[in-house]
Amino acid sequence: MKYKDFVLDQFQEEAITAIDRDHSVIVTAPTGAGKTVIAEYAVEKCLQTNKRAIYTAPIKALSNQKYRDFQSEYGDKIGIVTGDVVLNPYAQVLLMTTEILRNTIFDDIERLQDVSYVIFDEIHYINDIERGTVWEESIIFAPQHIKFVCLSATIPNIISFAEWMQSVREIDITVVEELERPVPLEHRLYFRGFGIGELEHFNDLRQITKQRKRKRQHQSEEKPKIPTGIIKTELISYLNKQNRLPCLYFCFSRRKCEGNAHYYASRRRQELLETEQQEQILEKFDALCVQFDITEEKVITDFRKLISCGIAYHHAGMLPTLKEVVERLFTSGLIQLLFTTETFAVGINMPACTVVFDSLRKYDGISFRYLKAREYHQIAGRAGRRGIDTVGYVYAQIDTKYASHTEVSKVVSNTIESITSRFNLSYSSILNLYEKYGDEIYDVYTMSLSNHENYKRTNDFNKQIALLEEKRASLPRPTCIHDHIEGMKQIESYHRLKHSNQKSLERLQIELTSLKSRSMRGKSQETKLAPIHNKMEALNDELSKNLCHECYKRKQCTKKYQAIHKDQQRIENLKQKQTSIENYQREQISARLNVLETLGYIESQTLLPRGNIASHIYGYELQLTQLLFRGFFERLTEDEINCLMVSIVSEPRREGYFKRVKDKRFLSILGAAWDEILDIQRLERQLNISGIIPLLEPRLCSAMLAWSRGCEFDELTDHAELDPGDFVRTFRLVIDQLRQIRRTMIGHTALTDKLNRCIGKINRDIVDAERQLRIGHEEPFEDKDNTENIDSDSV
């Protein structure tokens, strides 16, 4: 079978046949295998049958890339709606983030009546702790006539996932699984200080590392022998000599990306580019910088030096326009060494010959941890360009001094973790569902992937409990010569209490010995130890009265009783876990409904005015609704509203310089807003809500105030120590939230006009995402040098 002049692989044919039968389809296939062609076929079918399609992606960069791809082919039939950009929103095919789709389902479901297919690119994001619930809600609550194309490189439990999805969708679902990569991967480890090797070399090299340490300490003459099979080399030089460039070099730190790029550019012994290629890449770079109007940015001069070496870096802290320049240069095939964070591995179709991991550990916002096998394989999948490479190469760097053999072997193994539910309804989702279902909202949870998983887990618990009960029933039971079987239970209880009191005595005695004054020590001993001594005496009296205490069969009976008691405790623990799993989501929904009722958002299965407003705001809905109803937005100026908004959406930062706002009026307002949000937090804590709402983070208020008043972008660093990309992303998030508030305030002309002015003050120059997308359509040069670089994810 052919499609767009390409002969399709078998798994592509299977998926396309399912689409022709009007089925939903879940496709899992390695990165680069050609999943995108299946989505393109579904889109084209909708265009031919005059139906609509929605293509969702987990990140805006991927939405923007797909928009450009589709728009260049289908023109004004394509539109895009994200939090940043709205272009042609009633087009036949819409690109959007999954959040926008979920919001549309709740806000204006009638807009989806003529949608035939929804494509979920990177569906494994349903496993994302913070955002996964959005995918789950979209699948559950989308109109039943909608069919889905779900694409992923990694769903090891695809059958279970499909079973759940079929349980909540009426249309048949076809599962298509492809395990073979079109370009096979060769996985190796690079041991720092030694060279390239295999996992089997790990323990030997660790021993050598220890011997080297002892040698330095004791001046030993013995020279450790490097095991055979190790290729002693510097990694990048080796890749260059072996023609294994270009290379995507993944670092889990922005600073490491930049530091490594500058290090290799300054220390390279051999040029990565020929003179002609240097001229080509600089010509392209200069043209793109002019196109995106970033020639005057401070970083450009240094970045140009890197580019001339065939080296660059890419991370979320960069200007979005500069990131796009790097992405376009990489597709030209002229960047040979790109140092990047893991976001580059999500969806964006930019494969390389080689992938290098700077480390297999990363900081996840809480602590350092090893990568999941899923994360490793997702990133590694960028190696190997279809139509260019016969093999893709993956190198993970290991420091034998600190690394764990067990953890490393887990990461690089082919045993990939199953995706799991992250179902966790937000307040706005609960309000929308409460309006529709009332008290039956609890039944909604039964449709979740979480409940589907819990059903299986509960069955497992039941099996374990049955086995333990069977085992407990077969155990020999104690027989009491005094006909006092309850005596053993009393004995066990007394001894546990006695043990607990003994521990309390020991702790108190340690505390008392630390007292300096002998007189103080004596008084404290008398006061604190007396109650515990009294308890011990009472317990000893009870023990002496118990017939089992001095019985010659006590040890025998105790052994039997403890065996039974141990199994009983295991059974009780399993039952408690089972109950907790079954009730957790119900309890969380109930607690959140309690919050909403207490704050005056719902009453008698009806949404009150506050509830109506909050149901249309996604993200920070309680904070914004409370402040709206307290009149903050009417009292504040546009600049002050923008400052308040940035303090709501900003993430807490522990380090880095920031300039404080000194305006007493604004600080007073900020304090009042803080108190409003603190009251919500207190209520949530009382009700044991998981994931309470955040307090205000005012560190960017000064920067926002300056920007809102018209300062230049490069002046923002006078107000806060922040990467350029973080300024842009935070300001765009403020714009998104202001647009949501504006949408809920239709009819309140004075306030919507003020919100328009607020948005206008922020959405300018480099912050304007729509402007970036528009100018990105203009091609500054003809790409004559990349004819052989076949699109590896659409073949």
Side-chain angles (χ1 to χ4, degrees), residues 116-130:
S116 179
Y117 268 99
V118 167
I119 292 106
F120 282 124
D121 207 348
E122 311 285 347
I123 185 64
H124 56 267
Y125 256 75
I126 203 168
N127 193 75
D128 185 82
I129 291 175
E130 293 183 358

Side-chain angles (χ1 to χ4, degrees), residues 371-438:
L371 298 179
K372 303 289 187 185
R374 182 192 310 109
E375 294 170 314
Y376 170 81
H377 285 283
Q378 180 76 25
I379 295 171
R382 289 290 154 198
R385 298 161 297 175
R386 190 171 186 177
I388 301 175
D389 303 315
T390 55
V391 177
Y393 301 93
V394 182
Y395 299 88
Q397 299 203 61
I398 303 295
D399 190 331
T400 53
K401 190 187 298 184
Y402 304 109
S404 158
H405 180 278
T406 302
E407 295 296 337
V408 170
S409 59
K410 282 182 188 176
V411 174
V412 301
S413 77
N414 289 320
T415 306
I416 299 172
E417 304 86 2
S418 298
I419 61 171
T420 58
S421 174
R422 303 299 183 183
F423 192 71
N424 183 27
L425 293 175
S426 64
Y427 286 107
S428 56
S429 293
I430 287 174
L431 286 165
N432 280 285
L433 294 171
Y434 187 74
E435 183 178 34
K436 184 175 182 180
Y437 297 105

Side-chain angles (χ1 to χ4, degrees), residues 625-652:
T625 302
Q626 289 296 95
L627 298 179
L628 273 167
F629 274 77
R630 295 292 189 188
F632 280 77
F633 287 78
E634 280 86 358
R635 295 198 302 272
L636 300 183
T637 66
E638 288 88 349
D639 294 334
E640 289 170 339
I641 288 175
N642 289 341
C643 288
L644 177 61
M645 290 297 296
V646 85
S647 70
I648 291 172
V649 307
S650 293
E651 296 178 356

Side-chain angles (χ1 to χ4, degrees), residues 53-94:
I54 291 173
Y55 194 117
T56 78
I59 59 173
K60 292 170 184 174
L62 183 52
S63 295
N64 292 346
Q65 185 193 50
K66 299 309 299 183
Y67 170 73
R68 285 193 295 268
D69 293 345
F70 282 132
Q71 211 269 344
S72 63
E73 186 169 357
Y74 302 113
D76 61 6
K77 292 182 179 180
I78 309 298
I80 182 169
V81 180
T82 68
D84 296 337
V85 178
V86 179
L87 292 174
N88 201 10
Y90 296 97
Q92 198 172 347
V93 178
L94 278 180

Side-chain angles (χ1 to χ4, degrees), residues 107-235:
D107 282 347
D108 192 5
I109 200 167
E110 293 301 315
R111 285 189 61 190
L112 304 176
Q113 287 309 307
D114 57 349
V115 171
S116 179
Y117 268 99
V118 167
I119 292 106
F120 282 124
D121 207 348
E122 311 285 347
I123 185 64
H124 56 267
Y125 256 75
I126 203 168
N127 193 75
D128 185 82
I129 291 175
E130 293 183 358
R131 301 173 60 205
T133 185
V134 175
W135 276 259
E136 206 164 329
E137 291 172 45
S138 299
I139 290 170
I140 294 170
F141 302 115
Q144 283 293 340
H145 73 272
I146 287 178
K147 300 174 284 290
F148 292 100
V149 173
C150 303
L151 307 176
S152 176
T154 49
I155 311 181
N157 55 328
I158 188 170
I159 300 302
S160 176
F161 178 76
E163 286 173 355
W164 162 71
M165 197 165 163
Q166 190 67 80
S167 73
V168 297
R169 305 302 303 173
E170 294 173 1
I171 292 172
D172 289 341
I173 299 170
T174 298
V175 174
V176 178
E177 192 170 14
E178 174 60 49
L179 301 177
E180 294 297 319
R181 283 183 56 89
V183 180
L185 297 184
E186 181 182 296
H187 296 263
R188 307 292 296 276
L189 298 180
Y190 181 79
F191 297 98
R192 286 193 176 97
F194 296 102
I196 298 167
E198 307 286 351
L199 186 60
E200 64 195 42
H201 295 125
F202 187 101
N203 289 330
D204 288 340
L205 294 177
R206 182 152 197 158
Q207 287 302 315
I208 292 171
T209 302
K210 290 178 180 177
Q211 288 173 26
R212 285 177 174 176
K213 184 178 179 181
R214 287 197 295 269
K215 181 182 176 182
R216 286 193 298 269
Q217 291 173 345
H218 305 294
Q219 299 299 312
S220 170
E221 295 292 327
E222 183 184 349
K223 187 176 181 180
K225 184 180 178 182
I226 305 296
T228 57
I230 296 291
I231 304 172
K232 190 166 178 58
T233 182
E234 194 278 323
L235 184 55

Side-chain angles (χ1 to χ4, degrees), residues 267-302:
R267 295 286 296 272
R268 71 189 189 285
R269 297 176 183 174
Q270 183 179 352
E271 296 287 348
L272 300 180
L273 297 179
E274 302 292 338
T275 303
E276 185 181 347
Q277 291 176 313
Q278 287 181 333
E279 292 172 357
Q280 288 175 359
I281 197 170
L282 288 175
E283 181 184 349
K284 293 176 187 291
F285 178 73
D286 292 341
L288 284 165
C289 287
V290 170
Q291 179 186 356
F292 286 101
D293 193 23
I294 55 174
T295 54
E296 301 301 318
E297 295 296 331
K298 293 177 181 178
V299 73
I300 296 302
T301 301
D302 283 341

